[in-house]
Amino acid sequence: MQFDLSSVETATMVFMGTLVFAVALTAFVLVAGFLALILVGLGKLAWVAVSTSLVATVHGINLGWERLVRKAATVELPGEFQGQPSPSTGSYPRVMLGDS
C-alpha cells in the first residue's frame, strides 16, 4: 500500500510541520544552552587556574622575602660603617641646590 500525501488534509500537514519545527527549535536552544554552560565552565576553570597561580607566585615572593629579611637580621658585620661626608658647595648641601 502506497502512502499518498495528497489524501492528508492541509491542517494536518501544517500541524505536523509545526511540530517538526518546534522540535528542531527546541533542540537548537538546548544545544546552545549546553554549549554556553560549557564555555562558562571553561572560562571559570581558566580564571581559577590563573588566579591560583598568581596568588601562589605572590605568596612565594613574600615567603622568599621574609626568609631573606630573617637571614639578613641574623648576620653580624664586623666593624661599623664609616659615615661619608656629603659633598657640599659652600654653606648649602648639594641637595638644596636642586630647588634653586
Side-chain angles (χ1 to χ4, degrees):
M1 180 173 148
Q2 187 122 6
F3 183 70
D4 186 17
L5 280 178
S6 61
S7 64
V8 179
E9 290 186 23
T10 305
T12 305
M13 289 192 347
V14 168
F15 178 72
M16 292 299 207
T18 304
L19 286 180
V20 169
F21 182 73
V23 168
L25 190 61
T26 302
F28 174 76
V29 169
L30 287 175
V31 169
F34 185 67
L35 289 177
L37 284 174
I38 288 174
L39 288 176
V40 167
L42 288 176
K44 174 73 173 179
L45 180 65
W47 170 249
V48 167
V50 168
S51 65
T52 302
S53 65
L54 285 176
V55 168
T57 302
V58 169
H59 282 300
I61 291 171
N62 286 342
L63 182 63
W65 181 255
E66 184 179 347
R67 286 181 183 171
L68 181 68
V69 168
R70 286 180 190 255
K71 185 171 181 162
T74 61
V75 173
E76 292 186 22
L77 297 174
E80 292 187 20
F81 288 109
Q82 297 293 326
Q84 295 180 349
S86 61
S88 64
T89 56
S91 60
Y92 296 105
R94 187 179 295 270
V95 178
M96 296 292 277
L97 291 176
D99 295 332
S100 59

